[in-house]
Amino acid sequence: MTLSTRRPGSNGSNGQDGNSVVLGPKDRLVGQLFIEGDLSVSGTVDGSLEATGDIEISGGGKVTGTVTAYNRLVVGGGASLIGGEVRVARLTVEDGATFTGRVSMGKAETKTPPAAEPIAEPVEVVIAEPEKPKAKRR
């Protein structure tokens, strides 16, 4: 499942389209979530998160999977992040938080898919049967 949201006009903290999404303590997400703005997680996520703003994992929030925060990732005390790949511009891990993962830091770059390689034209292959020896005449 992939969810995407865009709500211009609401008040968010990062100033990017003013979008802010909250996954509460009883919320659970399995899949992918892309947010244009900020994301706050105090529930459970098993999958990948990507936000153009901040991602904050707080309270009893637990995230297992890939995380990309274009601005900042905060793993609060009591929260846990067990990520395979974490890509962030800035990272804060507070006392009491659990963090496991491989971190790449720096400004997030927009991914561009690699150019497709040309496919070779099919070649017709003809297999000739071997000639049968001619019977000798007497």
Side-chain angles (χ1 to χ4, degrees):
M1 172 174 80
T2 302
L3 298 176
S4 179
T5 182
R6 184 176 185 159
R7 285 183 258 159
S10 55
N11 291 326
S13 62
N14 72 345
Q16 296 182 20
D17 289 337
N19 190 30
S20 183
V21 174
V22 176
L23 294 177
K26 294 182 180 181
D27 294 332
R28 180 169 185 246
L29 171 72
V30 177
Q32 297 176 321
L33 182 60
F34 175 79
I35 300 294
E36 290 187 17
D38 297 335
L39 173 63
S40 177
V41 177
S42 56
T44 303
V45 174
D46 185 11
S48 63
L49 299 176
E50 185 172 349
T52 60
D54 297 342
I55 296 178
E56 181 178 356
I57 305 167
S58 60
K62 181 178 180 182
V63 175
T64 304
T66 301
V67 176
T68 302
Y70 289 29
N71 191 28
R72 179 179 58 169
L73 170 64
V74 177
V75 183
S80 68
L81 170 60
I82 302 168
E85 184 84 23
V86 177
R87 291 180 297 263
V88 295
R90 296 184 345 224
L91 174 66
T92 302
V93 180
E94 296 178 356
D95 288 342
T98 302
F99 180 88
T100 305
R102 186 173 51 186
V103 179
S104 299
M105 292 185 72
K107 189 173 180 175
E109 295 180 16
T110 306
K111 295 179 191 174
T112 55
E117 292 185 26
I119 299 173
E121 291 293 321
V123 176
E124 186 176 329
V125 177
V126 178
I127 301 175
E129 291 190 27
E131 289 185 29
K132 294 182 183 179
K134 295 183 180 179
K136 293 184 180 180
R137 291 189 154 179
R138 292 189 182 186

